[in-house]
Amino acid sequence: MICYRGSVEAWEIDHMGHMNVQFYLQKAMQAVKVFFSRNNLQYDDYSSFNEYFSLRKSHLRYLKEQKAGSPLLIEAGMNILKKSHFSITMVMKENFTNIPCATFVLDYQINGKISKKIKNHLTLAFKKYPFSIPDYALPKGINPIKPQNLPSLIEAKNIGMKETYLGIASNHFIDFKERMWPASYMAVISNAVPNILGQALSKVDKNIIGGAALEYSFHYKEYATGDTPITVRSALEELTKKTFTWRHWLFNERNGKFLADARALVITLDLKKRKSVEMPQKMFDALNSVLAKNI
């Protein structure tokens, strides 16, 4: 089912010259709401959390950069339906070439309050719109995050994670139910990354060398409400000659509650040729100096 059709706005372009990662996910969450709407799945409620089901994990792959004005569509369907959870597959494609440019796999936990009516609608949606996860959407460079004992701010500090973001869940971060969108968590991380990446890029020519996200994996624990102070603690988790993997922990800064865990695989990019290149030695050495252990 096609659940989104639109284009890339000029204001969605970031400093790297292509659509920022948060807007890929923002368009995907719009597609989810349309999918819910067309299948009578509580479309009038928040698309990530309601009394029947809640988004707990997501995996995203970025396959092709998109520039301002690029026309896009998103296809959606269900890849699995179990008693305790279901999963939605979405593929963003260029409108005229039909070339995939991003994929999204969203895993929802079914809550105990789910009604028989909603169960029936889920079953019908799964039968009508089955959508197996294509090979190009499967994890390649990072593994999905597994649930774990919830980390604390103290633990983040003890293992050397740096504060890369501190701000408030303002109105543009939340939906009409006053809960943050998953795209807003992505926006916060996107905002955080330059604060830790700058240390490495300060040693290379930023006009030539940069980075581009290939994959993101999320595990959501809670969705912050309006005016929640949010802090992000980040660390480098893995490093190769061409790629590096960030780990981001999001916390409610007021009470220390854990909000979400994110892992991001970034590839070193020649900004002029828009191709993957081997990391300059100075950049590698700088990143290696902040490589964290025991995350």
Side-chain angles (χ1 to χ4, degrees), residues 69-291:
S70 299
L72 303 168
L73 61 85
I74 296 178
E75 297 173 339
M78 294 177 64
N79 64 73
I80 193 170
L81 175 61
K82 299 290 186 180
K83 196 171 184 178
S84 61
H85 66 281
F86 66 92
S87 181
I88 293 178
T89 301
M90 290 186 290
V91 177
M92 177 183 286
K93 295 181 177 180
E94 295 179 339
N95 195 40
F96 298 115
T97 65
N98 220 35
I99 294 175
C101 52
T103 62
F104 315 85
V105 179
L106 308 181
D107 294 331
Y108 284 83
Q109 174 184 306
I110 295 176
N111 300 327
K113 293 182 179 180
I114 191 167
S115 66
K116 186 176 180 180
K117 181 178 179 181
I118 296 298
K119 285 182 180 178
N120 289 338
H121 288 318
L122 279 170
T123 301
L124 288 173
F126 182 55
K127 289 180 177 179
K128 193 172 183 180
Y129 300 105
F131 195 172
S132 298
I133 303 173
D135 288 343
Y136 57 79
L138 295 171
K140 292 294 192 327
I142 57 175
N143 295 318
I145 295 172
K146 297 179 180 179
Q148 59 185 19
N149 293 329
L150 300 184
S152 66
L153 273 168
I154 294 175
E155 180 183 350
K157 182 178 179 180
N158 288 342
I159 63 176
M161 299 184 85
K162 306 295 184 183
E163 183 176 66
T164 53
Y165 178 90
L166 178 62
I168 298 292
S170 53
N171 288 337
H172 70 282
F173 276 162
I174 60 177
D175 75 331
F176 69 98
K177 295 276 188 179
E178 293 207 345
R179 290 183 182 272
M180 280 184 65
W181 287 61
S184 297
Y185 281 0
M186 180 71 84
V188 164
I189 290 174
S190 179
N191 202 313
V193 165
N195 286 301
I196 193 168
L197 185 58
Q199 181 178 345
L201 292 185
S202 66
K203 300 180 182 296
V204 300
D205 188 342
K206 298 179 190 177
N207 295 316
I208 298 176
I209 300 296
L214 294 184
E215 290 184 67
Y216 266 92
S217 179
F218 278 87
H219 182 264
Y220 308 96
K221 177 59 180 176
E222 290 189 17
Y223 294 97
T225 54
D227 287 331
T228 298
I230 294 173
T231 179
V232 178
R233 302 301 165 111
S234 304
L236 192 66
E237 189 176 38
E238 293 182 18
L239 177 66
T240 73
K241 284 295 184 179
K242 282 192 174 184
T243 66
F244 45 101
T245 303
W246 294 117
R247 191 69 172 270
H248 305 281
W249 290 347
L250 288 76
F251 295 92
N252 181 327
E253 201 269 342
R254 181 185 294 120
N255 57 26
K257 283 189 175 181
F258 183 70
L259 298 174
D261 190 349
R263 181 181 281 143
L265 176 69
V266 182
I267 193 165
T268 313
L269 196 69
D270 183 311
L271 297 179
K272 293 184 177 180
K273 297 180 180 179
R274 311 307 288 183
K275 290 184 178 180
S276 170
V277 294
E278 188 168 303
M279 197 177 299
Q281 189 62 44
K282 288 184 177 180
M283 181 177 175
F284 182 88
D285 292 342
L287 286 173
N288 193 47
S289 70
V290 297
L291 188 62

